[in-house]
Amino acid sequence: MASRRASLRGLASHCLWLLGVILLMDVSARPANHSSARERAGNREEREILPPDHLNGVKLEMDGHLNKDFHQEVFLGKDTDGFEEDAEPRRSRRKLMVIFSKVDVNTDRRISAKEMQHWIMEKTAEHFQEAIEESRVHFRAVDPDGDGRVSWDEYKVKFLVSKGHNEKEVEEKMKNGEELKVDEETQEVLENLKDRWYQADNPPSDLLLTEDEFLSFLHPEHSRGMLKFMVKEIVRDLDQDGDKQLSLPEFISLPAGTVENQQGQDIDDSWVRDRKKEFEELIDANHDGIVTMAELEDYMDPMNEYNALNEAKQMIAIADENQNHHLEPEEVLKYSEFFTGSKLMDYARNVHEEF
């Protein structure tokens, strides 16, 4: 009996020890969870005030790469629901045919280049409006006194806070002209942002951005002046001989890196092929083998109606199997991956039912 009590006491002690370990583990885990929550909040704040890397409805990314989602962006606009990988195929087909009927203004069950051009312009306008609404929210976040103008210093404080710096410390150091200790990467980002801030500040320059100027700062596609700045940056990065224009070899040159397998080689081949086609068919307007800044600017202007017509013709040519220069329901369904990013099977069997 005594030995049984002893064993029970031993078991109880062991359980208490285990409970203590678990509680200690829980306590030690909590700061990490709080830290990750703070990091997530910081990342969200940073995304809200930094210019986006990707601009919907614009042909090139900020780094000069082709926008791989461009055709889906100008065909679907903001209405991308229903075309996810796990979406129900029949629902996706039906929705695609609803879009087809909207593009087909004259209801002849064919999409012409003019109809596609008008649709592209309409979807681009949707992206523009979305950017304006987002910028308005972000402007309020960096304009704490609500005077309708944001100084570079106000923006700089918000940016550094999003990077984990203490707001009061930053403000105090900037007020006293003291040096701010930031890492090399953050300093480089700040310098690039300040260049961009200067460009967005319409003359006479005062380093104070209005709501419209702040929109141009975040979204250069909304301002001709900022679009020029973006083009200049892209040309600077790709121009190898310093003549401030781009040859075909410069435009299709591969990013730095080593190909290690066949898959990597296939990606490189696709990169060269896609950029060569884009250079020769759309960017080099006079087909002289050289792209000037003016040509690149026209190509990147999302509200350029002539470019929209060229895009419409190219999009039709991709799927125009019967070569009648129009898109028909069967063709749109067959090439659904190009238009929506989602591959819809059994297109021919279902086309009449879905239409």
Side-chain angles (χ1 to χ4, degrees):
M1 190 73 174
S3 65
R4 188 177 173 188
R5 281 199 209 97
S7 66
L8 285 171
R9 280 198 301 271
L11 181 61
S13 300
H14 186 65
C15 289
L16 285 171
W17 177 79
L18 276 173
L19 180 61
V21 169
I22 290 167
L23 288 171
L24 281 171
M25 287 172 65
D26 185 49
V27 169
S28 65
R30 282 175 195 160
N33 289 337
H34 289 166
S35 175
S36 66
R38 283 196 298 272
E39 285 173 11
R40 284 195 297 273
N43 289 339
R44 187 182 68 251
E45 288 172 9
E46 189 177 344
R47 284 196 305 273
E48 286 176 351
I49 65 171
L50 273 178
D53 291 327
H54 176 78
L55 303 172
N56 288 331
V58 178
K59 293 284 294 186
L60 289 183
E61 305 286 8
M62 301 293 284
D63 58 7
H65 289 206
L66 294 180
N67 176 4
K68 291 294 186 183
D69 297 325
F70 175 78
H71 295 113
Q72 286 111 54
E73 289 167 1
V74 296
F75 187 75
L76 298 177
K78 297 190 298 178
D79 194 16
T80 57
D81 293 340
F83 295 108
E84 301 86 358
E85 285 186 16
D86 57 351
E88 202 274 309
R90 183 170 177 175
R91 180 170 170 265
S92 299
R93 285 194 298 269
R94 188 177 294 122
K95 186 163 185 177
L96 184 53
M97 287 299 95
V98 168
I99 294 173
F100 182 99
S101 64
K102 289 178 180 178
V103 186
D104 178 24
V105 178
N106 65 3
T107 66
D108 64 351
R109 288 185 53 142
R110 302 190 311 170
I111 294 175
S112 67
K114 274 289 182 186
E115 287 173 324
M116 184 67 88
Q117 177 198 26
H118 292 151
W119 182 255
I120 289 172
M121 296 298 292
E122 187 178 319
K123 296 296 111 178
T124 301
E126 279 184 17
H127 290 306
F128 262 52
Q129 188 57 39
E130 184 179 36
I132 290 169
E133 291 165 6
E134 287 179 358
S135 176
R136 193 172 292 139
V137 173
H138 299 164
F139 183 79
R140 285 198 290 267
V142 295
D143 181 28
D145 53 15
D147 65 352
R149 304 197 319 166
V150 178
S151 71
W152 166 248
D153 284 348
E154 283 177 320
Y155 179 82
K156 185 177 179 180
V157 168
K158 292 291 183 184
F159 170 74
L160 290 173
V161 168
S162 76
K163 286 288 193 180
H165 292 259
N166 181 277
E167 187 167 358
K168 287 185 178 178
E169 283 182 17
V170 171
E171 287 177 341
E172 193 66 28
K173 285 188 176 182
M174 288 176 64
K175 184 179 177 181
N176 297 330
E178 296 176 36
E179 185 181 353
L180 292 168
K181 292 182 179 178
V182 297
D183 60 71
E184 191 175 332
E185 183 183 349
T186 300
Q187 185 59 41
E188 186 178 345
V189 172
L190 271 172
E191 288 170 4
N192 290 335
L193 287 172
K194 192 169 186 180
D195 284 346
R196 190 166 173 150
W197 192 273
Y198 272 101
Q199 292 296 325
D201 184 19
N202 292 326
S205 178
D206 55 6
L207 283 186
L208 295 169
L209 297 193
T210 63
E211 192 170 311
D212 286 342
E213 290 170 334
F214 189 72
L215 171 65
S216 299
F217 170 73
L218 291 182
H219 288 271
E221 75 275 22
H222 284 253
S223 156
R224 198 70 187 185
M226 284 301 289
L227 197 60
K228 285 179 184 291
F229 175 71
M230 184 176 170
V231 165
K232 189 185 293 185
E233 294 285 290
I234 290 172
V235 170
R236 185 196 65 189
D237 291 342
L238 299 179
D239 179 21
Q240 296 170 9
D241 59 12
D243 63 356
K244 297 183 180 177
Q245 51 190 10
L246 298 177
S247 64
L248 177 60
E250 287 172 331
F251 189 73
I252 67 174
S253 61
L254 292 162
T258 305
V259 174
E260 296 180 353
N261 53 36
Q262 185 57 47
Q263 184 182 8
Q265 185 61 55
D266 291 343
I267 292 171
D268 281 0
D269 292 345
S270 175
W271 163 281
V272 170
R273 185 171 58 251
D274 291 348
R275 290 178 75 85
K276 185 174 187 292
K277 179 181 174 68
E278 202 74 11
F279 184 99
E280 293 176 341
E281 295 183 9
L282 292 173
I283 310 178
D284 182 15
N286 62 2
H287 304 292
D288 65 350
I290 295 292
V291 165
T292 63
M293 286 196 189
E295 285 176 319
L296 192 58
E297 188 182 327
D298 286 340
Y299 163 80
M300 289 186 63
D301 181 3
M303 297 308 289
N304 185 319
E305 291 191 14
Y306 178 73
N307 278 355
L309 181 59
N310 282 338
E311 285 299 335
K313 290 176 180 177
Q314 188 186 57
M315 289 170 74
I316 289 173
I318 292 288
D320 184 21
E321 291 199 336
N322 63 9
Q323 300 292 301
N324 67 351
H325 306 294
H326 288 72
L327 283 180
E328 293 168 8
E330 294 89 347
E331 293 168 334
V332 171
L333 282 169
K334 183 173 182 179
Y335 288 85
S336 61
E337 193 168 7
F338 173 76
F339 293 105
T340 70
S342 176
K343 197 165 187 176
L344 309 177
M345 305 305 289
D346 301 327
Y347 56 90
R349 190 182 65 183
N350 293 285
V351 63
H352 297 295
E353 176 189 346
E354 303 301 351
F355 203 88

